[in-house]
């Protein structure tokens, strides 16, 4: 508790005053306790105290509103996202617990309470959520800083152009603000252009690069105070294509939204709605909406800013000129947005100018870059490489993944810093296949299988996914390795190594296995269920159709009497008792399943003597006493030699054989199906217990 610097508040929601008192006594010395005696009061307390509550201890079975109702309300209002809930209940049914976890509880404590367990789980849960909140805040801050740095780099690049153009440096910032404002207005006005808030953010950032092509325009033309000659204007117009080509020729990142939008803006921000623009003469919505909006923002700021060839126009005059068609034709809907948010534009630009205290610093950086033209390409390359390495390490640490690179020549494994610390291996490990440290983490067989998978890839399909257990600090945990093989450019290509990452999937793997088990097993008895048994039996029959198989359906006699006399909980225990006898009565390859209710199934393979096999199984299953109830079982048996070699025939015929026993005067027998006999003349049942024992069982079951 040293890490909790102030008293946390815990809400206890339980209809039992005694339970609330016990929990309050256990925790009251270290926490402030708030109590509610039903779900409605609990929700009211959550509304009243809100973020003050650090943890909820919630009973499930309560009057007025139960615990599930409280969890539903917490999900509805998103309280569950920031407020941990520990379920407290004497109910141990898996359905209750599973439903509670689906609704977002963090942990489960059963009654009667163990003071040490309650205290430890409460403290651990509160500390865990406190750490998660700190981590969330840290990640959010780091992402914000990254976005700020990205924006700064784009600003610096665009200001390089503005610096050559002799402008104030506010043009880029104003175009950014105008673009964002107009796009938000357009998004409110229509869904015609399918733009999202994320798109608006990227387009606004990309707008800073709209005139990057001016870097190729001679300065005497760029800064000419008078009117351009036709030849000079033709040169000036090339800046849109130059900027687009610069972005198109980037060695990578072509699929990045920022590059895609920047290309559209650079190339087409001088196109006009009526087709009178350049360089491609696009018309109407042939022009991407990103370029349309930046075009209007560019024109507006050019009108309201001082230039070497003109004084600034007022905000009102600039809007009137654009809407009146004095500056070329624009999208009518975008012009409506300009008119409707004219006041907002004025306010946003004024706020932007007041908050632009960092512009002098940016201009200073730009001037320094212009002074130091002798900066060597190799230095710039090293700086970029170092920046990429820093980003790689930063994101790898955030994702908590083991990232690696393996080369064949020389045989070496390189790990990221986080992965090195996690595995307690050096960041660079020579000849990992021979390293005792590496073999202690992933054994030689797993290494060989992973290597085979990588060698089996091709340059066109180089990615593999491989799940295995890694021994990390003495604990074996499932990990998913996703790796990309590297191939040489020579012919034929030669495998040279791989890059990849290992993600901890242990908890999700166990959860999936548990879900698969729940889907394939009967929750009461632990035997496989009917559907899963059918699937396995069909697989066996198809895999070895020449084998000798028998399917038996078992019915527990007098089960209704047991339920009526002792209650349904007793009946459940009888079913579990019988299931356990069945489990110990079959061999490893046989299948025992619960069909439903008090009916069960056994599937077995035999060699020559079906009679001996069935009699052995039946004698081990039948008989025995659970408390005062004698276990009596009726059974129908069908073999594939008599019933046919498919599952449905075996099941149907075994069910017919069972029908004869169940509707005879004497139960507690087993019976075979014979295809030559009708259902009412099936071969007489063979019973290993005599009528006297059977009668005694009936009396006891009463």
């Amino acid at each position: 508790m040293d890490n909790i610097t102030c008293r946390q508040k815990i809400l206890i929601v339980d209809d039992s005053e005694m339970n609330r008192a016990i929990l309050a006594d256990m925790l009251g010395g270290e926490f402030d306790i708030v109590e509610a005696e039903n779900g409605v009061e609990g929700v009211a307390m959550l509304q009243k105290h809100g973020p003050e509550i650090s943890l909820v201890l919630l009973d499930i079975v309560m009057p007025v509103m139960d615990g599930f109702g409280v969890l539903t309300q917490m999900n509805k209002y998103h309280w569950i996202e920031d407020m941990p809930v520990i379920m407290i209940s004497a109910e141990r049914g898996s359905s209750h617990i599973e439903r509670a976890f689906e609704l977002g509880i963090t942990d489960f404590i059963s009654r009667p309470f163990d003071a040490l367990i309650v205290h430890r789980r409460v403290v651990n849960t509160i500390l865990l959520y406190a750490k998660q909140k700190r981590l969330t805040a840290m990640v959010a801050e780091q992402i914000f800083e990254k976005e700020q740095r990205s924006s700064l780099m784009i600003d610096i690049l665009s200001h390089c152009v503005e610096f050559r153009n002799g402008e104030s440096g506010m043009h880029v910032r104003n175009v950014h603000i105008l673009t964002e404002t107009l796009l938000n207005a357009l998004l409110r006005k229509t869904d015609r252009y399918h733009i999202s808030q994320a798109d608006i953010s990227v387009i606004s950032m990309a707008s800073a690069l709209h005139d990057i092509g001016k870097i190729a325009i001679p300065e005497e033309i760029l800064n000419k105070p008078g009117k351009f000659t036709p030849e000079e204007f033709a040169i000036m117009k090339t800046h849109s294509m130059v900027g687009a080509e610069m972005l198109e020729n980037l060695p990578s990142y072509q699929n990045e939204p920022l590059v895609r939008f920047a290309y559209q803006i650079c190339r087409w921000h001088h196109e006009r709605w009526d087709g009178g623009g350049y360089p491609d003469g696009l018309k109407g919505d042939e022009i991407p909406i990103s370029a349309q909006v930046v075009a209007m923002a560019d024109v507006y700021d050019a009108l309201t800013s001082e230039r070497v060839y003109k004084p600034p126009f007022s905000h009102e005059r600039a809007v009137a000129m654009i809407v009146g068609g004095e500056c070329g034709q624009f999208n009518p809907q975008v012009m409506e947005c300009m008119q409707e948010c004219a006041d907002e534009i004025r306010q946003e630009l004024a706020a932007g100018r007041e908050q632009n205290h960092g512009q002098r610093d940016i201009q200073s950086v730009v001037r320094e870059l212009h002074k130091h033209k002798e900066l060597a390409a190799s230095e710039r390359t090293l700086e970029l490489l170092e920046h990429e390495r820093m980003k790689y390490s930063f994101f790898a640490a955030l994702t908590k993944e083991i990232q690696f690179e393996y080369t064949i020549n020389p045989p070496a494994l390189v790990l990221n810093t986080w992965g090195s610390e996690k595995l307690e291996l050096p960041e660079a490990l020579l000849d990992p296949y021979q390293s005792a440290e590496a073999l202690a983490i992933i054994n030689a067989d797993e290494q060989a299988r992973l290597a085979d998978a990588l060698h089996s890839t091709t340059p066109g399909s180089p990615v593999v996914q491989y799940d295995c257990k890694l021994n990390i600090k003495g604990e074996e945990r499932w990990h998913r390795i996703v790796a990309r093989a590297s191939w040489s450019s020579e012919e034929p290509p030669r495998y040279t190594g791989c890059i990849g990452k290992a993600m901890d999937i242990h908890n999700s793997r166990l959860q999936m296995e548990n879900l698969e088990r729940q889907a394939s097993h009967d929750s009461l008895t632990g035997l496989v269920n009917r559907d899963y048994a059918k699937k396995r039996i069909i697989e066996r029959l198809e895999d070895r159709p020449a084998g000798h198989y028998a399917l038996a359906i078992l019915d527990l006699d007098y089960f209704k009497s047991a339920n009526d006399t002792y209650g349904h909980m007793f009946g459940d225990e009888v079913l579990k008792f019988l299931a356990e006898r069945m489990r110990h009565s079959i061999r490893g390859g046989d299948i025992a399943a619960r069909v439903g209710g008090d009916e069960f199934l056994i599937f077995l393979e035999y060699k020559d003597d079906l009679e001996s096999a069935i009699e052995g199984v039946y004698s081990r299953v039948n008989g025995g006493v659970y408390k005062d109830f004698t276990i009596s079982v009726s059974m129908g048996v069908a073999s594939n030699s008599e019933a046919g070699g498919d599952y449905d025939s075996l099941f149907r015929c075994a069910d017919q054989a069972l029908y004869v026993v169940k509707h005879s005067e004497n139960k507690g027998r087993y019976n075979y199906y014979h295809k030559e006999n009708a259902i009412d003349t099936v071969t007489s049942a063979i019973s290993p217990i005599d009528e006297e024992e059977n009668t005694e069982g009936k009396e006891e079951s009463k």
Side-chain angles (χ1 to χ4, degrees), residues 14 16 18-20 22-23 26 59 87-92 108-119 121:
D14 195 317
S16 168
M18 179 178 293
N19 288 337
R20 298 199 305 272
I22 292 171
L23 290 168
M26 289 179 181
D59 188 18
M87 173 181 164
I88 51 174
S89 179
E91 291 287 338
R92 297 174 180 268
F108 170 80
I109 298 175
S110 60
R111 292 196 294 262
F113 299 122
D114 182 299
L116 181 61
I117 291 175
V118 170
H119 180 268
R121 287 187 173 177

Side-chain angles (χ1 to χ4, degrees), residues 509-547:
R509 173 95 179 209
L510 295 184
Q511 185 179 20
M512 182 59 68
E513 290 176 353
N514 185 47
L515 289 173
E516 289 174 353
R517 177 174 175 78
Q518 289 178 18
S520 62
H521 285 69
D522 174 58
S523 60
L524 177 65
T525 64
L527 298 177
V528 297
N529 58 35
R530 177 175 178 174
D531 290 339
Y532 186 70
K534 177 179 179 179
K535 177 173 177 266
R536 285 187 56 193
I537 292 168
I538 291 173
E539 289 172 353
R540 290 277 294 280
L541 292 171
E542 291 176 349
D543 186 47
R544 296 183 56 195

Side-chain angles (χ1 to χ4, degrees), residues 71 115 243 395 398 402 443 541 566 588 597 600 640 653:
L71 290 170
F395 287 118
L398 278 184
I402 301 165
N443 63 52
L541 292 171
Y566 302 106
F600 295 82
N640 61 335
C653 294

Side-chain angles (χ1 to χ4, degrees), residues 403-418:
Q403 299 181 358
F404 61 86
E405 179 178 359
Y406 173 72
T407 57
I408 286 182
N409 189 19
L413 177 71
V414 178
L415 297 165
N416 65 317
T417 303
W418 190 89

Side-chain angles (χ1 to χ4, degrees), residues 553-568:
I553 300 178
L554 297 78
D555 186 276
L556 181 59
D557 301 326
Y558 318 115
F559 181 62
K560 184 177 184 303
S561 173
N563 277 332
D564 293 343
T565 305
Y566 302 106
H568 289 284

Side-chain angles (χ1 to χ4, degrees), residues 662-677:
K662 292 296 292 184
H663 290 79
S664 67
E665 293 183 2
N666 299 319
K667 299 180 182 180
R669 299 168 178 269
Y670 65 88
N671 186 52
Y672 292 98
Y673 170 84
H674 294 288
K675 60 185 176 183
E676 66 271 13
N677 296 335

Side-chain angles (χ1 to χ4, degrees), residues 553-563 566 570-571 574-575 578 597-600 618 621-624 628-636 658-670 687-691 693-702:
I553 300 178
L554 297 78
D555 186 276
L556 181 59
D557 301 326
Y558 318 115
F559 181 62
K560 184 177 184 303
S561 173
N563 277 332
Y566 302 106
F570 179 85
V574 170
L575 292 175
L578 175 59
D598 60 349
E599 284 196 349
F600 295 82
Y618 187 79
V621 172
N622 194 52
D628 294 330
F629 183 78
T630 300
I631 302 298
S632 173
V633 173
S634 296
M635 185 168 81
L658 174 64
Y659 179 87
V660 172
V661 180
K662 292 296 292 184
H663 290 79
S664 67
E665 293 183 2
N666 299 319
K667 299 180 182 180
R669 299 168 178 269
Y670 65 88
S687 175
I689 58 174
D690 58 29
E691 182 62 28
E693 290 174 330
N694 189 44
T695 304
E696 183 182 349
K698 290 181 183 178
E699 293 302 321
E700 288 179 353
S701 68
K702 294 179 183 178

Side-chain angles (χ1 to χ4, degrees), residues 492-506:
R494 178 173 48 84
Y495 173 73
T496 59
C498 67
I499 58 172
K501 63 182 181 180
M503 300 167 287
D504 190 316
I505 60 166
H506 191 74

